[in-house]
Amino acid sequence: MQKHNTQKARVVASYGRRLDLSFANGSEATGRVKGRRLQPVCGDFVLAERLLNEPEWLITEIVERRNELGRPNRQGKVDILAANIDLVIVITAELPDPDWFIVDRYLCAAELMSAAGAVVFNKTDLGEATPAIVDSMDIYREAGYQTLYCSAVKGNGMGGLRALIAERTAVVVGQSGVGKSTLINALFGDDSLTTAPVSRKRQEGRHTTVNAKMRTLASGGHVIDSPGVRDYAPAIAAAEEVAQTFPEIREAAPRCRFANCRHLQEPGCEVIEVVASGTFAARRYESYRRLYRLSLDFQRKTQ
């Protein structure tokens, strides 16, 4: 095989060792990875060589990533789901039942990546959001996150969602069945992504997205549709970093008595005080405690 030239491309879909690539001039091609060391993911920028008399490009290098969206696996390592993300959009809905702890963990992942975070309540066509939903969404808004109410069916809120994504690379995440793929189809005005209704028997979402895929909006911005989950936790190298992923804790922590306060049961902890006063939502604080314990477990596995 004779090498022809090398170009920079972006991975817009990954199927193991086979990838879909997008080039700066707007052209697209398929590629395969050189060797087993390289593991590109959706959102990666790569260097690829055009091979004469070959339909595929050969990917030889991954350009240094700005950030990574990952999760721990059972072997104590980290699976990378997407890379070079500007915005993490967490989708939730009335059905399946919202798991706000999963929402919190995705927002923590966004903080770790130095990416913006947003929470979108989908399926408003099924009825108005309950007071409990509104309260939970208000908690995120008050913490500084963008919040939106949308309906992929009726088109409500879609303009705000497009404006949120404009000029950014956004990854859409959340529980299975909350309508991620349906929302993305509505953004693009087609049915290119497979969707499925929530299981009536178990009231759980069905996995329809298997591989992360990126699409580009005509108005600007890139959208990555990620597989739905029934659980998620970010990979945090040190449990002490967990506090930095909660804006409410970052604001209160400087007033703690001890500089190394873990905000669990230490005397003079300002974080515990603001929880008691209602300034920091008790459920969000419980989310912090759970994630702190999960991070300790992850540390033990990696040591």
Side-chain angles (χ1 to χ4, degrees):
M1 290 185 297
Q2 183 179 356
K3 296 179 181 179
H4 181 53
N5 62 8
T6 299
Q7 291 188 34
K8 184 178 179 181
R10 195 165 198 188
V11 177
V12 295
S14 174
Y15 311 94
R17 312 302 292 173
R18 291 287 193 272
L19 308 168
D20 289 343
L21 304 175
S22 176
F23 296 88
N25 62 4
S27 65
E28 296 185 350
T30 59
R32 67 177 186 269
V33 180
K34 181 179 180 179
R36 296 188 175 275
R37 180 180 59 86
L38 296 179
Q39 295 182 329
V41 298
C42 195
D44 266 328
F45 291 98
V46 297
L47 298 183
E49 295 176 354
R50 182 66 183 270
L51 305 175
L52 290 179
N53 303 318
E54 291 278 344
E56 294 182 324
W57 290 64
L58 184 66
I59 297 163
T60 60
E61 183 179 341
I62 299 173
V63 177
E64 184 177 0
R65 292 167 176 160
R66 181 162 44 85
N67 58 29
E68 301 171 335
L69 176 64
R71 64 181 300 171
N73 60 30
R74 294 181 179 179
Q75 289 72 44
K77 297 181 180 180
V78 179
D79 292 330
I80 306 302
L81 309 177
N84 302 310
I85 304 300
D86 301 308
L87 172 66
V88 178
I89 303 176
V90 193
I91 311 297
T92 188
E94 189 86 49
L95 187 68
D97 291 337
D99 188 331
W100 300 111
F101 293 111
I102 288 180
V103 176
D104 289 339
R105 292 172 187 181
Y106 274 120
L107 292 176
C108 289
E111 297 280 351
L112 288 168
M113 297 161 62
S114 297
V119 184
V120 173
F121 181 77
N122 190 25
K123 304 184 183 181
T124 58
D125 53 283
L126 299 180
E128 293 187 6
T130 64
I133 295 289
V134 173
D135 287 346
S136 294
M137 293 291 283
D138 284 347
I139 287 172
Y140 294 118
R141 179 179 52 78
E142 292 167 3
Y145 297 107
Q146 181 79 40
T147 58
L148 289 171
Y149 292 83
C150 290
S151 169
V153 174
K154 292 188 175 181
N156 300 340
M158 300 307 296
L161 187 56
R162 287 190 184 90
L164 186 62
I165 297 168
E167 306 305 322
R168 296 200 272 192
T169 296
V171 60
V172 178
V173 297
Q175 296 167 255
S176 298
V178 295
K180 298 183 300 299
S181 296
T182 304
L183 270 177
I184 293 176
N185 283 343
L187 280 173
F188 289 91
D190 59 30
D191 297 314
S192 62
L193 298 178
T194 303
T195 63
V198 171
S199 168
R200 292 185 179 181
K201 183 177 180 180
R202 301 182 62 184
Q203 298 296 295
E204 291 181 341
R206 296 166 175 162
H207 299 292
T208 58
T209 301
V210 178
N211 304 95
K213 297 181 180 180
M214 177 192 292
R215 299 181 67 188
T216 301
L217 285 167
S219 57
H222 308 285
V223 183
I224 298 175
D225 183 28
S226 67
V229 300
R230 293 202 175 101
D231 195 13
Y232 172 80
I236 301 179
E240 294 74 19
E241 295 179 12
V242 178
Q244 293 302 310
T245 67
F246 285 79
E248 305 97 321
I249 296 179
R250 290 202 303 266
E251 194 281 328
R255 300 191 296 276
C256 289
R257 180 185 300 178
F258 303 110
N260 62 346
C261 184
R262 298 177 303 161
H263 320 300
L264 297 175
Q265 57 186 12
E266 293 81 358
C269 174
E270 181 66 16
V271 172
I272 295 175
E273 289 297 321
V274 296
V275 173
S277 69
T279 306
F280 181 17
R283 190 205 56 73
R284 283 272 289 169
Y285 176 62
E286 175 60 22
S287 193
Y288 161 73
R289 291 169 60 90
R290 293 186 185 189
L291 191 53
Y292 188 92
R293 291 193 295 268
L294 281 174
S295 299
L296 287 176
D297 291 340
F298 180 59
Q299 281 182 251
R300 295 188 188 100
K301 290 180 181 179
T302 56
Q303 287 176 350

